[in-house]
């Protein structure tokens, strides 16, 4: 039996391992199973090239608990180690990796996530165990070895009588970490981290019902048999070729990823690239709500089928973090800070590849079945609009499939819509004016007035619409967006025609004064307009620029301070309406004031602006008038 000291300059590395990696105790299991998987896959490779004389067979990794002995055991049938290899890989390489890791990351280690990358994978066992044993036999014809260490820098290494190649790691679990002797806890961790590992993982047994033959008697009871409880699906959908999968397979895999999700995904995108980096995966578009925060953290990131994280910011472009699915890449550096990730060249390439791939898939879906794409538009538009805003390359590609629905549920690409309106909606300066509504019910009267003029009105109702319009206006020539309630219909698209007012300039002057006596200046700017005599006498509008800046401020961006500005409206007075002439010619100031107030309240009511005390007073006053 050999004893020895691990050559290490850190005073005692084990307390440091426990201290720095405290927040992530549970990952020891992922690390040890990853090592076992590597050992098994190495053996597969060596047998396939004729380097190993042993049979590869159908190896499994077995995890077992002995509560009485307070032991957790992880066994593999992989490549194994000789005594010399244990000395080299466990006592020297892994430990120097541990020391380097702790030196480099002693301030941030506990937030750094995965640790196996630093050769520290095996030593994470000491986060939960006060003693660790390795019993291992190499695939080479050499005796087995038994290594024991009790969480100090001393170890023992002797022979063992293990007959089969592979490695058993036995953890003597600390009193404080007894949760890792509970079957439920271990199964939960295996499902979380190892659900799609490439080697079967056995954890105990389970009962399985044997289906009855078709000719069985009616009262026959099905029998059960005991089978291995295999935790993982070793060939998940993303590891297969898209040509080998049907929609049904993709939907089944979606349910495997999200067992609590009852709605089918709208469509999927299969990622598969091996140059200039390796990346596979499947992204799903779920039905989207208008709330942009709910959806995130549903994409799972794997490295060679080992779960790493569901926080994929920096790897997946931000607008796609609202999707669901899996990305697997051995080329993503997983143990480093997010700021490093975002600056890393490979990661940037991966991010732009995913953007391009998603854009290409959306274009194909649009071209192949436009009708179906239009049906799904409202459920996916928030992602696409957000992508157009935040990723320039995606914005360019989206011109081919981004849709602009009208209030009548017709769908156009930007180019199609521009062509449709150019005749009727070009103003006197040659600008094409695109009218839009954000709420069909609240802006109903304005929409109808625009449609009466033969104008097309888009329905743009996502929370980021103001930002998107700003982007479109700056990237397109001679285009402006105007919401239908931002001015009187005659002013929305300024043409050359002059409307004749029934009132003289003096009468207009007096009318304005009469209104200003009654209407609060801080809230309304009064505009006198000669309109059709059958148009409404008073119309409330909100200037496009002011309203848009406020909205942008509220969703991040826009001009600073605009979000807190008080609401300002234009009050458009139709000088050709009979009621306005009556107000002008009313003899008593009291009656004039009452007519102005009642008319203003009616205009406010049509804009959904009459609320609370004002609404109560209006109803009371209206009842008195009809008595």
């Amino acid at each position: 039996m050999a004893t020895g000291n691990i050559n290490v300059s850190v005073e005692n590395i084990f307390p440091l391992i426990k201290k720095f990696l405290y927040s992530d105790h549970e990952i020891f299991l992922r690390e040890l199973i990853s090592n076992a998987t590597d050992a098994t896959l190495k053996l597969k490779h060596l047998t396939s090239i004729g380097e190993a004389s042993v049979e590869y067979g159908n190896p499994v990794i077995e995890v077992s608990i002995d509560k009485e002995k307070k032991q957790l055991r992880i066994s593999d049938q992989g490549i194994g180690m000789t005594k010399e290899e244990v000395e080299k890989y466990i006592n020297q390489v892994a430990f120097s990796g541990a020391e380097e890791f702790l030196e480099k990351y002693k301030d941030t280690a506990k937030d750094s996530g995965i640790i196996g990358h630093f050769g520290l994978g095996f030593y994470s066992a000491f986060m939960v165990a006060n003693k660790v044993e390795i019993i291992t036999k190499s695939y080479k014809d050499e005796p087995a070895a038994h290594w024991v260490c009790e969480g100090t820098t001393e170890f023992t290494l002797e022979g063992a009588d293990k007959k089969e190649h592979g490695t058993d790691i036995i953890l003597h679990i600390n009193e404080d970490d007894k949760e890792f002797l509970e079957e439920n806890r271990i199964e939960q961790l295996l499902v979380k981290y190892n659900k799609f590992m490439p080697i079967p993982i056995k954890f105990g047994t389970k009962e399985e019902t044997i289906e009855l033959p078709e000719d069985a008697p009616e009262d026959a009871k099905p029998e059960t048999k005991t089978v291995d409880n295999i935790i993982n699906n070793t060939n998940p959908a993303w590891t297969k070729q898209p040509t080998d999968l049907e929609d049904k397979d993709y939907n089944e895999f979606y349910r495997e990823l999200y067992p609590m999700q009852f709605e089918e995904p709208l469509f999927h995108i299969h990622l598969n690239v091996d140059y200039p980096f390796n990346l596979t995966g499947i992204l799903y578009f779920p039905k989207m709500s208008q709330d942009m925060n709910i959806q995130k953290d549903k994409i799972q990131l794997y490295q060679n089928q080992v779960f790493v994280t569901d926080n994929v910011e920096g790897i997946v472009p931000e607008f796609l973090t609202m999707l669901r699915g899996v990305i697997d890449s051995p080329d993503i550096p997983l143990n480093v800070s997010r700021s490093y990730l975002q600056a890393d060249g490979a990661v940037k390439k991966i991010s732009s590849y995913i953007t391009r791939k998603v854009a290409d898939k959306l274009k194909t879906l649009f071209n192949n079945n436009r009708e179906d794409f239009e049906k799904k538009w409202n459920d996916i538009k928030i992602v696409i609009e957000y992508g157009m805003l935040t990723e320039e390359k995606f914005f360019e590609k989206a011109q081919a499939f981004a849709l602009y629905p009208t209030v009548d549920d017709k769908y156009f690409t930007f180019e199609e819509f521009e062509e449709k309106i150019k005749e009727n909606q070009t103003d006197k300066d040659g600008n094409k004016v695109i009218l839009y509504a954000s709420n069909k019910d609240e802006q109903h009267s304005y929409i109808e007035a625009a449609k009466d003029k033969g104008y097309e009105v888009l329905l743009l109702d996502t929370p980021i619409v103001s930002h998107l319009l700003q982007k479109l206006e700056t990237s397109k020539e001679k285009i402006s967006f105007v919401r239908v309630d931002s001015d009187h219909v005659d002013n929305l698209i300024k043409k050359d025609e002059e409307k004749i007012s029934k009132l003289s300039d003096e009468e207009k002057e007096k009318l304005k004064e009469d209104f200003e006596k009654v209407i609060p200046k801080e809230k309304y700017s009064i505009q006198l307009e000669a309109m059709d005599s059958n148009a409404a006498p008073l119309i409330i509008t909100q200037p496009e620029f002011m309203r848009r800046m406020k909205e942008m401020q509220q969703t991040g961006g826009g001009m600073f301070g605009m979000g807190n500005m008080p609401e300002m409206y234009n009050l458009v007075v139709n000088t050709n309406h009979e009621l306005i002439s009556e107000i002008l010619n009313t003899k008593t100031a009291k009656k004039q004031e009452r007519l102005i107030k009642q008319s203003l309240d009616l205009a406010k009511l049509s804009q959904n602006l009459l609320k609370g005390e004002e609404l109560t007073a209006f109803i009371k006053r209206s009842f008195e008038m009809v008595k």
Side-chain angles (χ1 to χ4, degrees):
M1 173 172 124
T3 61
N5 265 306
I6 298 161
N7 180 18
V8 63
S9 58
V10 174
E11 189 53 45
N12 184 352
I13 207 160
F14 292 97
L16 288 171
I17 287 173
K18 290 179 183 180
K19 181 181 166 194
F20 285 123
L21 302 169
Y22 183 75
S23 65
D24 243 351
H25 263 190
E26 64 179 45
I27 63 163
F28 80 92
L29 190 59
R30 175 186 67 186
E31 296 301 310
L32 296 178
I33 287 177
S34 295
N35 289 351
T37 303
D38 285 346
T40 312
L41 291 173
K42 277 177 185 155
L43 184 66
K44 185 180 188 180
H45 178 67
L46 292 176
T47 52
S48 72
I49 60 170
E51 285 275 312
S53 54
V54 297
E55 280 288 306
Y56 178 66
N58 296 304
V60 296
I61 294 165
E62 183 166 2
V63 180
S64 55
I65 294 169
D66 185 330
K67 273 195 181 177
E68 277 182 29
K69 292 183 179 171
K70 296 183 182 167
Q71 288 176 6
L72 178 68
R73 181 185 285 249
I74 292 125
S75 306
D76 69 59
Q77 295 154 17
I79 197 168
M81 286 182 281
T82 62
K83 212 168 172 182
E84 290 71 30
E85 285 168 339
V86 171
E87 177 64 50
K88 180 181 173 187
Y89 293 119
I90 300 297
N91 294 340
Q92 291 165 24
V93 177
F95 228 102
S96 60
E99 188 186 346
E100 182 193 326
F101 173 85
L102 288 166
E103 270 306 300
K104 192 169 176 186
Y105 289 96
K106 53 173 173 262
D107 298 328
T108 57
K110 76 174 198 294
D111 303 320
S112 66
I114 195 172
I115 56 176
H117 186 76
F118 288 89
L120 189 58
F122 166 71
Y123 276 94
S124 65
F126 286 97
M127 294 195 292
V128 299
N130 49 41
K131 175 177 167 184
V132 178
E133 299 179 59
I134 301 173
I135 301 168
T136 181
K137 180 169 177 10
S138 170
Y139 72 97
K140 298 169 189 164
D141 190 17
E142 290 200 34
H146 185 186
W147 179 93
V148 182
C149 178
E150 298 200 20
T152 68
T153 50
E154 290 172 11
F155 66 89
T156 61
L157 182 58
E158 57 187 341
D161 59 1
K162 184 173 166 61
K163 300 284 185 287
E164 301 296 324
H165 61 82
T167 300
D168 296 342
I169 292 177
I170 303 159
L171 278 65
H172 298 254
I173 299 292
N174 293 327
E175 196 58 34
D176 290 351
D177 293 289
K178 279 198 305 220
E179 62 181 286
F180 299 114
L181 293 170
E182 296 300 327
E183 286 184 8
N184 288 349
R185 180 72 171 117
I186 294 299
E187 183 148 2
Q188 175 205 1
L189 291 179
L190 291 172
V191 168
K192 177 177 176 179
Y193 290 110
N194 307 104
K195 192 175 171 181
F196 300 115
M197 294 287 273
I199 306 296
I201 298 164
K202 177 187 171 188
F203 184 55
T205 57
K206 62 181 179 184
E207 296 301 304
E208 215 168 64
T209 306
I210 304 166
E211 276 191 38
L212 288 167
E214 281 183 19
D215 57 354
E218 269 187 41
D219 58 351
K221 287 197 167 70
E223 289 182 22
T224 60
K225 61 174 177 177
T226 303
V227 295
D228 286 350
N229 178 27
I230 300 295
I231 292 289
N232 50 332
N233 167 1
T234 56
N235 293 302
W238 84 82
T239 62
K240 300 173 185 172
Q241 288 300 316
T243 45
D244 298 338
L245 297 164
E246 294 175 8
D247 281 350
K248 163 173 80 71
D249 302 310
Y250 285 109
N251 286 349
E252 275 172 17
F253 181 57
Y254 184 74
R255 276 194 291 278
E256 204 176 331
L257 283 174
Y258 310 106
M260 303 307 290
Q261 191 61 36
F262 303 112
E263 283 186 332
E264 298 276 295
L266 297 167
F267 44 79
H268 61 264
I269 294 167
H270 197 132
L271 305 165
N272 197 341
V273 65
D274 49 23
Y275 180 81
F277 46 80
N278 268 303
L279 179 126
T280 51
I282 300 168
L283 293 179
Y284 292 94
F285 270 79
K287 266 192 152 179
M288 290 291 166
S289 78
Q290 293 279 41
D291 184 343
M292 290 161 65
N293 299 318
I294 291 176
Q295 311 287 343
K296 292 189 178 181
D297 293 343
K298 295 286 187 185
I299 295 177
Q300 300 174 10
L301 180 67
Y302 288 75
Q303 190 187 48
N304 294 326
Q305 293 175 238
V306 185
F307 173 76
V308 177
T309 178
D310 50 14
N311 184 339
V312 292
E313 252 175 84
I315 296 155
V316 172
E318 197 190 346
F319 77 101
L320 293 177
T321 57
M322 292 185 268
L323 301 188
R324 296 185 178 178
V326 165
I327 287 170
D328 188 333
S329 174
D331 292 333
I332 294 171
L334 298 172
N335 313 50
V336 284
S337 68
R338 185 158 297 126
S339 56
Y340 176 86
L341 254 187
Q342 286 164 348
D344 183 77
V347 173
K348 279 197 170 136
K349 284 197 189 90
I350 287 172
S351 181
S352 60
Y353 165 78
I354 293 172
T355 301
R356 192 177 77 242
K357 190 78 181 167
V358 168
D360 291 346
K361 173 74 175 187
L362 290 167
K363 187 178 176 185
T364 305
L365 289 164
F366 174 77
N367 290 341
N368 290 354
N369 189 344
R370 177 163 177 168
E371 193 183 335
D372 184 58
F373 193 83
E374 287 180 3
K375 274 190 203 135
K376 290 171 177 169
W377 177 255
N378 284 326
D379 292 318
I380 61 170
K381 64 186 174 189
I382 188 93
V383 180
I384 293 171
E385 289 179 2
Y386 192 35
M388 288 167 72
L389 260 184
T390 52
E391 298 279 330
E392 198 53 47
K393 284 204 169 72
F394 187 78
F395 179 80
E396 287 159 23
K397 283 182 168 282
Q399 304 307 310
F401 56 78
L403 290 176
Y404 297 84
T406 69
V407 287
D408 301 317
D409 298 322
K410 294 193 189 87
Y411 292 81
F412 296 92
T413 64
F414 193 87
E415 209 174 280
E416 292 164 351
F417 193 72
E418 203 177 358
E419 187 57 36
K420 184 166 179 60
I421 64 161
K422 71 176 184 191
E423 202 64 50
N424 199 23
Q425 289 178 223
T426 301
D427 69 11
K428 59 182 173 33
D429 301 319
N431 295 309
K432 292 183 202 74
V433 179
I434 298 176
L435 301 181
Y436 71 99
S438 59
N439 186 311
K440 272 207 284 201
D441 292 335
E442 285 178 14
Q443 292 148 16
H444 182 266
S445 61
Y446 299 90
I447 294 167
E448 288 307 306
K451 281 163 72 173
D452 287 346
K453 287 253 184 201
Y455 296 155
E456 288 286 346
V457 181
L458 294 180
L459 180 64
L460 304 175
D461 58 2
T462 52
I464 53 171
V465 100
S466 304
H467 296 270
L468 185 63
L469 300 186
Q470 208 76 352
K471 169 102 179 145
L472 286 162
E473 284 170 345
T474 51
S475 65
K476 310 274 182 196
E477 291 288 309
K478 303 201 91 160
I479 282 288
S480 66
F481 283 84
V482 177
R483 204 166 87 178
V484 283
D485 59 348
S486 64
D487 209 332
H488 176 256
V489 69
D490 290 343
N491 292 339
L492 290 173
I493 302 172
K494 294 254 190 339
K495 307 277 185 169
D496 269 334
E497 60 224 39
E498 267 297 311
K499 279 266 173 23
I500 296 159
S501 174
K502 288 180 183 173
L503 305 183
S504 67
D505 289 351
E506 291 81 34
E507 285 174 315
K508 281 196 239 173
E509 199 58 47
K510 180 180 181 307
L511 184 67
K512 195 165 186 186
E513 284 170 17
D514 292 340
F515 267 85
E516 281 174 349
K517 283 179 205 156
V518 181
I519 307 277
K521 278 194 190 65
E522 63 281 1
K523 203 151 189 196
Y524 297 97
S525 165
I526 294 162
Q527 272 172 239
L528 302 185
E529 296 276 350
M531 300 189 283
D532 290 341
S533 56
N534 59 359
L538 292 187
I539 297 166
I540 293 172
T541 64
Q542 197 172 15
E544 176 76 16
F545 173 77
M546 295 272 289
R547 194 206 68 254
R548 204 191 289 184
M549 283 304 149
K550 272 177 80 76
E551 285 170 357
M552 285 169 73
Q553 186 78 31
Q554 281 152 9
T555 51
M559 287 175 71
F560 183 72
M562 278 282 189
N564 303 321
M565 281 190 65
E567 294 285 351
M568 267 301 283
Y569 297 95
N570 292 330
L571 181 66
V572 183
V573 179
N574 180 1
T575 59
N576 288 344
H577 196 282
E578 277 177 37
L579 177 62
I580 300 303
S581 299
E582 192 182 329
I583 288 170
L584 179 66
N585 298 318
T586 299
K587 297 290 180 270
T588 67
K590 202 169 180 191
K591 186 182 177 191
Q592 188 182 56
E593 185 183 335
R594 198 177 76 237
L595 285 172
I596 292 173
K597 274 193 174 164
Q598 190 73 0
S599 306
L600 176 66
D601 281 353
L602 283 163
K604 283 164 83 171
L605 196 61
S606 77
Q607 259 285 47
N608 209 18
L609 292 170
L610 198 63
K611 295 186 170 78
E613 202 179 320
E614 287 184 333
L615 180 58
T616 309
F618 167 76
I619 292 167
K620 190 177 172 196
R621 197 166 63 240
S622 302
F623 279 135
E624 281 168 6
M625 287 170 78
V626 294
K627 269 199 260 181

